[in-house]
Amino acid sequence: MIPTKDSNNPYTQDFRFDAVIIGGGHAAAEAALACARTGLKTCMLILNLDSIGLLACNPSVGGTSKGHLVKEIDALGGQMGIEADKSLIQLRMLNTSKGAAVQSLRAQIDKNKYHTNMKATLENTPNLKIKQAEAVELLTEGKKIIGVKTLYNQIYYAKAVIVAAGVYLKSNTIIGTIIEEKGPSGLARANYLSDSIQKTGHTLRRFKTGTPPRLNAKTIDYSQFEIQHGEPCYAFSAMSEKVEYNRMPCYLGYTNEHTHQIIRENIHLAPMYSGLIKGIGTRYCPSIEDKIMRFKDKSRHQFFLEPEGMDTVEVYLQGISTSLPLDVQEKIVRSIKGLENAEIMRDAYAIEYDCIDPLTLLPTLESKIIDGLYFAGQVNGTSGYEEAASQGLMAGLNASLKIRNKQPLVLGRDQAYIGVLIDDLTTKGTNEPYRMMTSRAEFRLNLRQDNADLRLTQIGYDAGLVTKDRYQKYLNKLEKIQKINSLLDKSFSPKVVNPILEEVGQPLVKSGVTLRELFKRNGIGSQHIQTMQELKDAEQDAIQQVLVTIRYEGYIARTQKNIDDIKKLEELKMPEDLDYNMLSGLRLEARQKLTKIKPLTLGQASRISGVNPADINVLILYLKTKKG
């Protein structure tokens, strides 16, 4: 039954929308934009408008594998890459000494500009209402979502609700022995929504993350650290014409034995070791005290000094996350050469928060329990801005597709890192904050940054999210790639080729060389190809796309064969009403996991932890028998 207004409160109001998004972070922003831009009447309910697009931890976007996610968000019509490019302090390409599959863009970001720019984008988006309010209750009718109730009894009715509450659900910040009931950066937490989520049938867990101190730049002796400048790179977004890649430098430094001794002497005061923190922390981003205790043979650990913005002296001490008491934090910082006089402007802290078990979600990020209810971001047990934004975009787009009576969009593991991320969450689940890594993507050679738009822009356009301008850029790139491909077997004279070979230290030639052969030479990059008269107008990203494809064509062909084999399993649909307990050949663990997750395809079933090849053979036999 639709709830009625509170007769005891004359100020109770109700509103009607197609979609309501709960939250204001990176997942919420992408979800709201995806809904509004595809024509839905959309509302964002945010605890605090000052938290829109907040970079509560690292003042950065991208990084290993995360850069891939940002490029994919952009290719699908999302916003993160555009805002990152507008807010750049510094841009670098990571892993340039390694293969193209693992090279990733990483940007140092002006956190205040990013927030301001994202807020302005949201405020100026048609179909989108933004409201500062605390969502306290998910309203349902049977097993269907119908809206959201706020703390002050305002009711927002909706056909779809996307929970993107980040780390705010009953969050506690912890320093030493002090626990405060608040969210990141001292903002208010969400006190009531957790209980409502649990009442809908979703299991809650407690996860933990942390952040390091922020230092006053004027109190740092930078001469003691290794300077790191930005590098000329292409931008995150295809819509960015030109980016400033080196406004300010970052610096690399190391801890020392004195630092480690201070931590060991005070480890009993660390909340993680005293038992005060109960939440499960991030495996791949440990606190400095965890690093010291786990890696006892290491004499030093690296850290980075990263500016938080162009108009502030705050410096982020990346790599020294901690929740030790304040006096110990100061001792740790000042034990490092160059930081002897450093002043801490913001103290480091740990934060615990509620999140759900993502195994209760479909691959569309819609709840298996409540129709029309979606979850995205850290509330699904992930860590990182990029992982959150990816989920927000997909949840928003799928909510929109459902309301518009269109087929859902589920990206495969062979199509995108976003597909890997969501499949891992909804098929394997996670018992700790999930972080994207290139090693998680078995087809990573095909999922490179340089071809994100070739993989995904047509999909985003067909779904109604990619704009005509963005789509035209994609078509232009296809045309440029086709032009380069048409020249691959043309022979170029030694007069043209030898200056390039000499520059990169390759043997000179006496006869003509095809462009295809030139691409396979070590050291040849897009900048060298652009010196050739026929290709002087070719754009760097188009040349890079063809260069990588030619250089790795054998590996790419083998990867494609594996993808084709796996697709055969993905095409075999599992009956939604199948009672796995009735299949006698399945092991008990497999029955339990299959019953809980209810895989949509045989391929998804094969990726469930606890389901082995023998169990899959049982399912194949069942499907063949059923078909026969």
Side-chain angles (χ1 to χ4, degrees), residues 134-185:
E134 181 178 351
V136 298
E137 185 179 356
L138 300 173
L139 304 178
T140 59
E141 194 172 66
K143 291 294 183 179
K144 183 177 178 61
I145 197 75
I146 61 169
V148 177
K149 187 177 182 181
T150 69
L151 182 62
Y152 295 109
N153 274 330
Q154 289 183 314
I155 295 175
Y156 292 79
Y157 294 109
K159 300 171 186 174
V161 171
I162 302 171
V163 179
V167 299
Y168 288 85
L169 297 181
K170 289 190 177 178
S171 53
N172 291 331
T173 58
I174 306 164
I175 301 175
T177 59
I178 308 299
I179 299 176
E180 293 186 88
E181 295 183 348
K182 60 183 182 183
S185 299

Side-chain angles (χ1 to χ4, degrees), residues 303-337:
F303 63 84
F304 295 89
L305 295 164
E306 302 177 338
E308 293 230 316
M310 301 290 291
D311 57 356
T312 178
V313 296
E314 288 188 75
V315 174
Y316 184 89
L317 193 55
Q318 187 201 330
I320 304 191
S321 172
T322 183
S323 54
L324 282 160
L326 301 189
D327 60 327
V328 181
Q329 289 189 31
E330 185 169 313
K331 289 177 183 177
I332 291 170
V333 169
R334 295 193 171 186
S335 69
I336 297 167
K337 192 174 182 180

Side-chain angles (χ1 to χ4, degrees), residues 341-366:
N341 299 308
E343 295 177 2
I344 296 175
M345 296 181 70
R346 300 194 197 214
D347 303 308
Y349 61 87
I351 183 167
E352 285 187 315
Y353 54 94
D354 287 343
C355 56
I356 70 162
D357 181 353
L359 291 177
T360 58
L361 303 179
L362 295 166
T364 59
L365 297 180
E366 184 179 15

Side-chain angles (χ1 to χ4, degrees), residues 30 69-79 386 389-390 393:
E30 296 291 352
L69 291 174
V70 181
K71 294 289 285 186
E72 290 179 354
I73 290 167
D74 183 69
L76 287 165
Q79 194 67 22
E386 302 83 2
S390 300
L393 184 145

